[in-house]
Structure formats: structure tokens, C-alpha cells
PDB file of all heavy atoms in Angstrom:
ATOM      1  N   ALA W   1       0.875  -1.236   0.029  1.00 67.00           N
ATOM      2  CA  ALA W   1      -0.016  -0.091   0.015  1.00 67.00           C
ATOM      3  C   ALA W   1       0.910   1.268   0.002  1.00 67.00           C
ATOM      4  O   ALA W   1       1.970   1.290   0.596  1.00 67.00           O
ATOM      5  CB  ALA W   1      -0.817   0.013   1.232  1.00 67.00           C
ATOM      6  N   ALA W   2       0.492   2.234  -0.682  1.00 67.00           N
ATOM      7  CA  ALA W   2       1.177   3.533  -0.751  1.00 67.00           C
ATOM      8  C   ALA W   2       1.075   4.162   0.594  1.00 67.00           C
ATOM      9  O   ALA W   2       0.013   4.078   1.235  1.00 67.00           O
ATOM     10  CB  ALA W   2       0.524   4.402  -1.840  1.00 67.00           C
ATOM     11  N   PRO W   3       2.147   4.852   0.981  1.00 67.00           N
ATOM     12  CA  PRO W   3       2.052   5.553   2.308  1.00 67.00           C
ATOM     13  C   PRO W   3       0.929   6.494   2.399  1.00 67.00           C
ATOM     14  O   PRO W   3       0.690   7.268   1.350  1.00 67.00           O
ATOM     15  CB  PRO W   3       3.461   6.071   2.515  1.00 67.00           C
ATOM     16  CG  PRO W   3       4.087   5.978   1.199  1.00 67.00           C
ATOM     17  CD  PRO W   3       3.399   5.064   0.356  1.00 67.00           C
ATOM     18  N   SER W   4       0.292   6.750   3.493  1.00 65.00           N
ATOM     19  CA  SER W   4      -0.703   7.711   3.613  1.00 65.00           C
ATOM     20  C   SER W   4      -0.294   9.143   3.567  1.00 65.00           C
ATOM     21  O   SER W   4       0.839   9.475   4.026  1.00 65.00           O
ATOM     22  CB  SER W   4      -1.346   7.503   5.002  1.00 65.00           C
ATOM     23  OG  SER W   4      -2.336   8.593   5.305  1.00 65.00           O
ATOM     24  N   ILE W   5      -0.989   9.907   2.834  1.00 63.00           N
ATOM     25  CA  ILE W   5      -0.804  11.313   2.728  1.00 63.00           C
ATOM     26  C   ILE W   5      -0.788  11.968   4.185  1.00 63.00           C
ATOM     27  O   ILE W   5      -0.070  12.843   4.426  1.00 63.00           O
ATOM     28  CB  ILE W   5      -1.745  11.991   1.777  1.00 63.00           C
ATOM     29  CG1 ILE W   5      -1.503  11.493   0.357  1.00 63.00           C
ATOM     30  CG2 ILE W   5      -1.548  13.536   1.770  1.00 63.00           C
ATOM     31  CD1 ILE W   5      -2.616  11.944  -0.609  1.00 63.00           C
ATOM     32  N   LEU W   6      -1.756  11.530   4.931  1.00 63.00           N
ATOM     33  CA  LEU W   6      -1.878  12.133   6.238  1.00 63.00           C
ATOM     34  C   LEU W   6      -0.656  11.903   7.152  1.00 63.00           C
ATOM     35  O   LEU W   6      -0.233  12.729   7.838  1.00 63.00           O
ATOM     36  CB  LEU W   6      -3.170  11.606   7.003  1.00 63.00           C
ATOM     37  CG  LEU W   6      -4.487  11.925   6.307  1.00 63.00           C
ATOM     38  CD1 LEU W   6      -5.640  11.208   6.995  1.00 63.00           C
ATOM     39  CD2 LEU W   6      -4.667  13.387   6.350  1.00 63.00           C
ATOM     40  N   ARG W   7      -0.126  10.789   7.006  1.00 60.00           N
ATOM     41  CA  ARG W   7       1.127  10.427   7.862  1.00 60.00           C
ATOM     42  C   ARG W   7       2.302  11.295   7.477  1.00 60.00           C
ATOM     43  O   ARG W   7       3.015  11.663   8.330  1.00 60.00           O
ATOM     44  CB  ARG W   7       1.358   8.948   7.773  1.00 60.00           C
ATOM     45  CG  ARG W   7       0.507   8.048   8.565  1.00 60.00           C
ATOM     46  CD  ARG W   7       1.011   6.694   8.596  1.00 60.00           C
ATOM     47  NE  ARG W   7      -0.050   5.765   8.991  1.00 60.00           N
ATOM     48  CZ  ARG W   7      -0.429   4.615   8.541  1.00 60.00           C
ATOM     49  NH1 ARG W   7       0.206   4.193   7.495  1.00 60.00           N
ATOM     50  NH2 ARG W   7      -1.422   3.884   9.001  1.00 60.00           N
ATOM     51  N   ARG W   8       2.348  11.478   6.226  1.00 56.00           N
ATOM     52  CA  ARG W   8       3.487  12.346   5.685  1.00 56.00           C
ATOM     53  C   ARG W   8       3.292  13.775   6.272  1.00 56.00           C
ATOM     54  O   ARG W   8       4.304  14.413   6.655  1.00 56.00           O
ATOM     55  CB  ARG W   8       3.555  12.339   4.119  1.00 56.00           C
ATOM     56  CG  ARG W   8       4.507  11.238   3.771  1.00 56.00           C
ATOM     57  CD  ARG W   8       4.854  11.541   2.170  1.00 56.00           C
ATOM     58  NE  ARG W   8       3.810  10.820   1.477  1.00 56.00           N
ATOM     59  CZ  ARG W   8       3.322  11.062   0.311  1.00 56.00           C
ATOM     60  NH1 ARG W   8       3.857  12.111  -0.302  1.00 56.00           N
ATOM     61  NH2 ARG W   8       2.423  10.322  -0.356  1.00 56.00           N
ATOM     62  N   SER W   9       2.157  14.283   6.169  1.00 56.00           N
ATOM     63  CA  SER W   9       1.964  15.695   6.538  1.00 56.00           C
ATOM     64  C   SER W   9       2.178  15.861   8.078  1.00 56.00           C
ATOM     65  O   SER W   9       2.731  16.874   8.434  1.00 56.00           O
ATOM     66  CB  SER W   9       0.551  16.207   6.145  1.00 56.00           C
ATOM     67  OG  SER W   9      -0.471  15.544   6.833  1.00 56.00           O
ATOM     68  N   ARG W  10       1.746  14.882   8.786  1.00 52.00           N
ATOM     69  CA  ARG W  10       2.003  14.911  10.252  1.00 52.00           C
ATOM     70  C   ARG W  10       3.544  14.953  10.588  1.00 52.00           C
ATOM     71  O   ARG W  10       4.017  15.718  11.408  1.00 52.00           O
ATOM     72  CB  ARG W  10       1.348  13.839  10.994  1.00 52.00           C
ATOM     73  CG  ARG W  10      -0.087  14.002  11.085  1.00 52.00           C
ATOM     74  CD  ARG W  10      -0.645  12.900  11.934  1.00 52.00           C
ATOM     75  NE  ARG W  10      -2.221  12.905  11.932  1.00 52.00           N
ATOM     76  CZ  ARG W  10      -2.935  11.926  12.067  1.00 52.00           C
ATOM     77  NH1 ARG W  10      -2.496  10.730  12.278  1.00 52.00           N
ATOM     78  NH2 ARG W  10      -4.273  12.104  12.010  1.00 52.00           N
ATOM     79  N   ALA W  11       4.250  14.093   9.838  1.00 52.00           N
ATOM     80  CA  ALA W  11       5.668  13.898  10.056  1.00 52.00           C
ATOM     81  C   ALA W  11       6.382  15.310   9.764  1.00 52.00           C
ATOM     82  O   ALA W  11       7.283  15.743  10.390  1.00 52.00           O
ATOM     83  CB  ALA W  11       6.265  12.914   9.314  1.00 52.00           C
ATOM     84  N   ARG W  12       5.945  15.880   8.691  1.00 55.00           N
ATOM     85  CA  ARG W  12       6.540  17.225   8.162  1.00 55.00           C
ATOM     86  C   ARG W  12       6.270  18.314   9.166  1.00 55.00           C
ATOM     87  O   ARG W  12       7.156  19.181   9.409  1.00 55.00           O
ATOM     88  CB  ARG W  12       5.994  17.548   6.880  1.00 55.00           C
ATOM     89  CG  ARG W  12       6.559  16.781   5.690  1.00 55.00           C
ATOM     90  CD  ARG W  12       6.086  17.253   4.349  1.00 55.00           C
ATOM     91  NE  ARG W  12       6.361  16.299   3.288  1.00 55.00           N
ATOM     92  CZ  ARG W  12       5.735  16.255   2.198  1.00 55.00           C
ATOM     93  NH1 ARG W  12       4.784  17.102   1.905  1.00 55.00           N
ATOM     94  NH2 ARG W  12       5.977  15.333   1.302  1.00 55.00           N
ATOM     95  N   ARG W  13       5.011  18.374   9.676  1.00 55.00           N
ATOM     96  CA  ARG W  13       4.761  19.430  10.672  1.00 55.00           C
ATOM     97  C   ARG W  13       5.617  19.452  11.850  1.00 55.00           C
ATOM     98  O   ARG W  13       5.838  20.454  12.470  1.00 55.00           O
ATOM     99  CB  ARG W  13       3.188  19.275  11.056  1.00 55.00           C
ATOM    100  CG  ARG W  13       2.249  19.997  10.235  1.00 55.00           C
ATOM    101  CD  ARG W  13       0.912  20.141  10.811  1.00 55.00           C
ATOM    102  NE  ARG W  13       0.193  18.989  10.323  1.00 55.00           N
ATOM    103  CZ  ARG W  13      -0.777  18.360  10.938  1.00 55.00           C
ATOM    104  NH1 ARG W  13      -1.158  18.790  12.161  1.00 55.00           N
ATOM    105  NH2 ARG W  13      -1.450  17.312  10.526  1.00 55.00           N
ATOM    106  N   GLY W  14       5.997  18.224  12.442  1.00 58.00           N
ATOM    107  CA  GLY W  14       6.664  18.137  13.641  1.00 58.00           C
ATOM    108  C   GLY W  14       8.079  18.878  13.493  1.00 58.00           C
ATOM    109  O   GLY W  14       8.538  19.372  14.578  1.00 58.00           O
ATOM    110  N   GLY W  15       8.691  18.898  12.411  1.00 67.00           N
ATOM    111  CA  GLY W  15      10.051  19.398  12.352  1.00 67.00           C
ATOM    112  C   GLY W  15      10.158  20.910  12.019  1.00 67.00           C
ATOM    113  O   GLY W  15      11.173  21.505  12.296  1.00 67.00           O
ATOM    114  N   LYS W  16       9.146  21.514  11.502  1.00 79.00           N
ATOM    115  CA  LYS W  16       9.174  22.795  11.161  1.00 79.00           C
ATOM    116  C   LYS W  16       8.358  23.697  12.046  1.00 79.00           C
ATOM    117  O   LYS W  16       7.081  23.724  11.959  1.00 79.00           O
ATOM    118  CB  LYS W  16       8.737  23.004   9.709  1.00 79.00           C
ATOM    119  CG  LYS W  16       9.631  22.414   8.634  1.00 79.00           C
ATOM    120  CD  LYS W  16       9.135  22.635   7.186  1.00 79.00           C
ATOM    121  CE  LYS W  16       9.980  21.975   6.221  1.00 79.00           C
ATOM    122  NZ  LYS W  16       9.579  22.235   4.865  1.00 79.00           N
ATOM    123  N   ARG W  17       8.984  24.428  12.930  1.00 85.00           N
ATOM    124  CA  ARG W  17       8.231  25.323  13.828  1.00 85.00           C
ATOM    125  C   ARG W  17       9.066  26.581  13.977  1.00 85.00           C
ATOM    126  O   ARG W  17      10.199  26.702  13.780  1.00 85.00           O
ATOM    127  CB  ARG W  17       8.195  24.674  15.299  1.00 85.00           C
ATOM    128  CG  ARG W  17       7.324  23.453  15.279  1.00 85.00           C
ATOM    129  CD  ARG W  17       7.069  23.105  16.676  1.00 85.00           C
ATOM    130  NE  ARG W  17       6.131  21.876  16.656  1.00 85.00           N
ATOM    131  CZ  ARG W  17       6.164  20.958  17.640  1.00 85.00           C
ATOM    132  NH1 ARG W  17       6.932  21.106  18.699  1.00 85.00           N
ATOM    133  NH2 ARG W  17       5.269  19.970  17.570  1.00 85.00           N
ATOM    134  N   VAL W  18       8.290  27.673  14.207  1.00 87.00           N
ATOM    135  CA  VAL W  18       8.929  28.955  14.422  1.00 87.00           C
ATOM    136  C   VAL W  18       9.098  29.090  15.965  1.00 87.00           C
ATOM    137  O   VAL W  18       8.255  28.950  16.726  1.00 87.00           O
ATOM    138  CB  VAL W  18       7.961  30.064  13.969  1.00 87.00           C
ATOM    139  CG1 VAL W  18       8.556  31.427  14.229  1.00 87.00           C
ATOM    140  CG2 VAL W  18       7.648  29.903  12.464  1.00 87.00           C
ATOM    141  N   ARG W  19      10.352  29.495  16.230  1.00 86.00           N
ATOM    142  CA  ARG W  19      10.702  29.703  17.634  1.00 86.00           C
ATOM    143  C   ARG W  19      11.321  31.044  17.836  1.00 86.00           C
ATOM    144  O   ARG W  19      12.194  31.383  16.962  1.00 86.00           O
ATOM    145  CB  ARG W  19      11.642  28.591  18.147  1.00 86.00           C
ATOM    146  CG  ARG W  19      10.905  27.286  18.213  1.00 86.00           C
ATOM    147  CD  ARG W  19      11.910  26.239  19.010  1.00 86.00           C
ATOM    148  NE  ARG W  19      11.109  25.045  19.276  1.00 86.00           N
ATOM    149  CZ  ARG W  19      11.196  23.875  18.560  1.00 86.00           C
ATOM    150  NH1 ARG W  19      12.047  23.820  17.504  1.00 86.00           N
ATOM    151  NH2 ARG W  19      10.517  22.864  18.969  1.00 86.00           N
ATOM    152  N   PHE W  20      10.976  31.779  18.739  1.00 86.00           N
ATOM    153  CA  PHE W  20      11.612  33.064  19.036  1.00 86.00           C
ATOM    154  C   PHE W  20      12.543  33.004  20.202  1.00 86.00           C
ATOM    155  O   PHE W  20      12.272  32.358  21.233  1.00 86.00           O
ATOM    156  CB  PHE W  20      10.491  34.044  19.309  1.00 86.00           C
ATOM    157  CG  PHE W  20       9.575  34.346  18.191  1.00 86.00           C
ATOM    158  CD1 PHE W  20       8.327  33.537  18.065  1.00 86.00           C
ATOM    159  CD2 PHE W  20       9.901  35.181  17.078  1.00 86.00           C
ATOM    160  CE1 PHE W  20       7.515  33.723  17.085  1.00 86.00           C
ATOM    161  CE2 PHE W  20       8.981  35.291  16.166  1.00 86.00           C
ATOM    162  CZ  PHE W  20       7.796  34.571  16.049  1.00 86.00           C
ATOM    163  N   ALA W  21      13.678  33.536  19.979  1.00 89.00           N
ATOM    164  CA  ALA W  21      14.746  33.502  21.117  1.00 89.00           C
ATOM    165  C   ALA W  21      14.873  34.862  21.789  1.00 89.00           C
ATOM    166  O   ALA W  21      15.261  34.827  22.963  1.00 89.00           O
ATOM    167  CB  ALA W  21      16.082  33.209  20.471  1.00 89.00           C
ATOM    168  N   GLN W  22      14.488  35.947  21.172  1.00 93.00           N
ATOM    169  CA  GLN W  22      14.635  37.227  21.859  1.00 93.00           C
ATOM    170  C   GLN W  22      13.580  38.199  21.406  1.00 93.00           C
ATOM    171  O   GLN W  22      12.872  38.014  20.359  1.00 93.00           O
ATOM    172  CB  GLN W  22      16.048  37.764  21.666  1.00 93.00           C
ATOM    173  CG  GLN W  22      16.473  37.904  20.277  1.00 93.00           C
ATOM    174  CD  GLN W  22      17.864  38.320  20.107  1.00 93.00           C
ATOM    175  OE1 GLN W  22      18.135  39.471  20.485  1.00 93.00           O
ATOM    176  NE2 GLN W  22      18.820  37.545  19.732  1.00 93.00           N
ATOM    177  N   VAL W  23      13.445  39.311  22.105  1.00 94.00           N
ATOM    178  CA  VAL W  23      12.470  40.360  21.822  1.00 94.00           C
ATOM    179  C   VAL W  23      13.374  41.681  21.665  1.00 94.00           C
ATOM    180  O   VAL W  23      14.183  41.997  22.467  1.00 94.00           O
ATOM    181  CB  VAL W  23      11.509  40.526  22.963  1.00 94.00           C
ATOM    182  CG1 VAL W  23      10.580  41.712  22.663  1.00 94.00           C
ATOM    183  CG2 VAL W  23      10.693  39.251  23.170  1.00 94.00           C
ATOM    184  N   THR W  24      13.084  42.446  20.641  1.00 96.00           N
ATOM    185  CA  THR W  24      13.755  43.652  20.489  1.00 96.00           C
ATOM    186  C   THR W  24      12.720  44.804  20.782  1.00 96.00           C
ATOM    187  O   THR W  24      11.654  44.828  20.113  1.00 96.00           O
ATOM    188  CB  THR W  24      14.250  43.870  19.001  1.00 96.00           C
ATOM    189  OG1 THR W  24      15.160  42.804  18.752  1.00 96.00           O
ATOM    190  CG2 THR W  24      14.998  45.207  18.866  1.00 96.00           C
ATOM    191  N   VAL W  25      12.952  45.654  21.641  1.00 95.00           N
ATOM    192  CA  VAL W  25      12.052  46.720  22.015  1.00 95.00           C
ATOM    193  C   VAL W  25      12.616  48.054  21.551  1.00 95.00           C
ATOM    194  O   VAL W  25      13.792  48.419  21.809  1.00 95.00           O
ATOM    195  CB  VAL W  25      11.806  46.767  23.570  1.00 95.00           C
ATOM    196  CG1 VAL W  25      10.896  47.918  23.917  1.00 95.00           C
ATOM    197  CG2 VAL W  25      11.330  45.466  24.050  1.00 95.00           C
ATOM    198  N   TYR W  26      11.829  48.807  20.800  1.00 96.00           N
ATOM    199  CA  TYR W  26      12.311  50.185  20.356  1.00 96.00           C
ATOM    200  C   TYR W  26      11.556  51.204  21.184  1.00 96.00           C
ATOM    201  O   TYR W  26      10.458  51.144  21.411  1.00 96.00           O
ATOM    202  CB  TYR W  26      11.901  50.322  18.777  1.00 96.00           C
ATOM    203  CG  TYR W  26      12.626  49.293  17.972  1.00 96.00           C
ATOM    204  CD1 TYR W  26      12.090  48.109  17.582  1.00 96.00           C
ATOM    205  CD2 TYR W  26      13.870  49.648  17.477  1.00 96.00           C
ATOM    206  CE1 TYR W  26      12.729  47.106  16.811  1.00 96.00           C
ATOM    207  CE2 TYR W  26      14.592  48.786  16.637  1.00 96.00           C
ATOM    208  CZ  TYR W  26      13.972  47.551  16.283  1.00 96.00           C
ATOM    209  OH  TYR W  26      14.582  46.670  15.448  1.00 96.00           O
ATOM    210  N   TYR W  27      12.416  52.248  21.567  1.00 94.00           N
ATOM    211  CA  TYR W  27      11.855  53.213  22.441  1.00 94.00           C
ATOM    212  C   TYR W  27      11.834  54.607  21.513  1.00 94.00           C
ATOM    213  O   TYR W  27      12.745  54.946  20.927  1.00 94.00           O
ATOM    214  CB  TYR W  27      12.831  53.477  23.502  1.00 94.00           C
ATOM    215  CG  TYR W  27      12.802  52.281  24.486  1.00 94.00           C
ATOM    216  CD1 TYR W  27      13.711  51.215  24.389  1.00 94.00           C
ATOM    217  CD2 TYR W  27      11.948  52.221  25.567  1.00 94.00           C
ATOM    218  CE1 TYR W  27      13.713  50.152  25.206  1.00 94.00           C
ATOM    219  CE2 TYR W  27      11.987  51.110  26.450  1.00 94.00           C
ATOM    220  CZ  TYR W  27      12.851  50.115  26.233  1.00 94.00           C
ATOM    221  OH  TYR W  27      12.921  49.049  27.019  1.00 94.00           O
ATOM    222  N   PHE W  28      10.665  55.272  21.658  1.00 94.00           N
ATOM    223  CA  PHE W  28      10.341  56.500  20.866  1.00 94.00           C
ATOM    224  C   PHE W  28      10.066  57.632  21.836  1.00 94.00           C
ATOM    225  O   PHE W  28       9.489  57.334  22.863  1.00 94.00           O
ATOM    226  CB  PHE W  28       9.200  56.242  19.919  1.00 94.00           C
ATOM    227  CG  PHE W  28       9.441  55.306  18.785  1.00 94.00           C
ATOM    228  CD1 PHE W  28       9.272  53.901  19.035  1.00 94.00           C
ATOM    229  CD2 PHE W  28       9.794  55.752  17.538  1.00 94.00           C
ATOM    230  CE1 PHE W  28       9.514  53.034  17.981  1.00 94.00           C
ATOM    231  CE2 PHE W  28       9.935  54.877  16.581  1.00 94.00           C
ATOM    232  CZ  PHE W  28       9.873  53.568  16.708  1.00 94.00           C
ATOM    233  N   ALA W  29      10.497  58.746  21.507  1.00 92.00           N
ATOM    234  CA  ALA W  29      10.169  59.979  22.253  1.00 92.00           C
ATOM    235  C   ALA W  29       8.617  60.210  22.025  1.00 92.00           C
ATOM    236  O   ALA W  29       8.107  59.978  20.990  1.00 92.00           O
ATOM    237  CB  ALA W  29      10.998  61.163  21.790  1.00 92.00           C
ATOM    238  N   ARG W  30       8.014  60.753  23.055  1.00 91.00           N
ATOM    239  CA  ARG W  30       6.576  61.031  22.943  1.00 91.00           C
ATOM    240  C   ARG W  30       6.387  62.400  22.230  1.00 91.00           C
ATOM    241  O   ARG W  30       7.127  63.438  22.504  1.00 91.00           O
ATOM    242  CB  ARG W  30       5.985  61.115  24.412  1.00 91.00           C
ATOM    243  CG  ARG W  30       4.389  61.073  24.389  1.00 91.00           C
ATOM    244  CD  ARG W  30       3.954  61.183  25.801  1.00 91.00           C
ATOM    245  NE  ARG W  30       4.422  60.032  26.669  1.00 91.00           N
ATOM    246  CZ  ARG W  30       3.876  58.899  26.803  1.00 91.00           C
ATOM    247  NH1 ARG W  30       2.796  58.547  25.999  1.00 91.00           N
ATOM    248  NH2 ARG W  30       4.364  58.018  27.597  1.00 91.00           N
ATOM    249  N   ARG W  31       5.400  62.450  21.435  1.00 91.00           N
ATOM    250  CA  ARG W  31       5.086  63.781  20.713  1.00 91.00           C
ATOM    251  C   ARG W  31       3.516  63.904  20.765  1.00 91.00           C
ATOM    252  O   ARG W  31       2.817  63.015  21.026  1.00 91.00           O
ATOM    253  CB  ARG W  31       5.518  63.684  19.278  1.00 91.00           C
ATOM    254  CG  ARG W  31       7.003  63.516  19.078  1.00 91.00           C
ATOM    255  CD  ARG W  31       7.725  64.841  19.224  1.00 91.00           C
ATOM    256  NE  ARG W  31       9.139  64.751  18.904  1.00 91.00           N
ATOM    257  CZ  ARG W  31      10.040  64.662  19.835  1.00 91.00           C
ATOM    258  NH1 ARG W  31       9.808  64.760  21.097  1.00 91.00           N
ATOM    259  NH2 ARG W  31      11.341  64.571  19.523  1.00 91.00           N
ATOM    260  N   GLN W  32       3.084  65.062  20.329  1.00 90.00           N
ATOM    261  CA  GLN W  32       1.678  65.252  20.174  1.00 90.00           C
ATOM    262  C   GLN W  32       1.236  64.581  18.967  1.00 90.00           C
ATOM    263  O   GLN W  32       1.987  64.605  17.895  1.00 90.00           O
ATOM    264  CB  GLN W  32       1.329  66.758  20.010  1.00 90.00           C
ATOM    265  CG  GLN W  32      -0.175  67.024  20.122  1.00 90.00           C
ATOM    266  CD  GLN W  32      -0.566  68.456  20.324  1.00 90.00           C
ATOM    267  OE1 GLN W  32       0.386  69.351  20.293  1.00 90.00           O
ATOM    268  NE2 GLN W  32      -1.799  68.788  20.325  1.00 90.00           N
ATOM    269  N   GLY W  33       0.208  63.709  18.991  1.00 84.00           N
ATOM    270  CA  GLY W  33      -0.216  62.764  17.974  1.00 84.00           C
ATOM    271  C   GLY W  33      -0.538  63.215  16.607  1.00 84.00           C
ATOM    272  O   GLY W  33       0.102  62.983  15.600  1.00 84.00           O
TER     273      GLY W  33
END
């Protein structure tokens, strides 16, 4: 039997994730809007 399409997509999903390591905060001077 041909391998299931569903099994392949689940396997692919597990390895590709977005992970964030840090946050960059920008500071702006206040002005009248």
C-alpha cells in the first residue's frame, strides 16, 4: 500500500516550527499625535 498522505503531513509538521529567542524593544520619544 502507498504510504498515507496524512502520515506524511504529520511528520513534516513536527520538524518545522517557528521559535523566538529574543525580543527587540524600540523606544520612541513622545510627541503630540
Side-chain angles (χ1 to χ4, degrees):
S4 169
I5 296 172
L6 295 175
R7 285 189 191 134
R8 265 193 273 152
S9 65
R10 284 184 189 156
R12 285 184 194 160
R13 268 191 271 151
K16 294 183 181 180
R17 291 189 178 157
V18 176
R19 290 194 172 96
F20 297 95
Q22 55 184 291
V23 176
T24 304
V25 179
Y26 295 92
Y27 295 89
F28 292 82
R30 193 180 303 273
R31 299 280 185 258
Q32 191 168 359

